[in-house]
Amino acid sequence: DPGLANGPRNDEEIAGDVERALRNDASTTDLADSIAVGVRDGVVLLAGDVATLEDAENAEAVAGIVAGVVEVR
């Protein structure tokens, strides 16, 4: 896991990276302000309102590729 190269990543670092990834990915950039990101023990919880199931799935996919993420809910 590339996220472990410098030791385990803490939840705050992961949350920041997930927020950044949501802002920077073309499929989720418009959603970033309406999605709250929480992380506990590497498990990401996305909360908020999105227009479509596709938007929700895109946000989950983007969050899931961030280093240190164990699961996305």
Side-chain angles (χ1 to χ4, degrees):
D1 182 349
L4 299 179
N6 296 321
R9 306 192 69 222
N10 70 43
D11 291 341
E12 188 174 303
E13 291 171 324
I14 294 168
D17 286 351
V18 169
E19 291 168 354
R20 207 167 5 268
L22 290 171
R23 279 194 308 272
N24 292 336
D25 190 282
S27 69
T28 57
T29 191
D30 293 338
L31 307 174
D33 290 336
S34 60
I35 297 175
V37 177
V39 181
R40 184 176 179 123
D41 299 328
V43 177
V44 174
L45 176 63
L46 300 177
D49 294 320
V50 294
T52 67
L53 178 59
E54 182 180 10
D55 286 342
E57 291 171 345
N58 287 340
E60 289 175 6
V62 170
I65 61 172
V66 171
V69 172
V70 175
E71 181 183 348
V72 179
R73 297 182 182 166

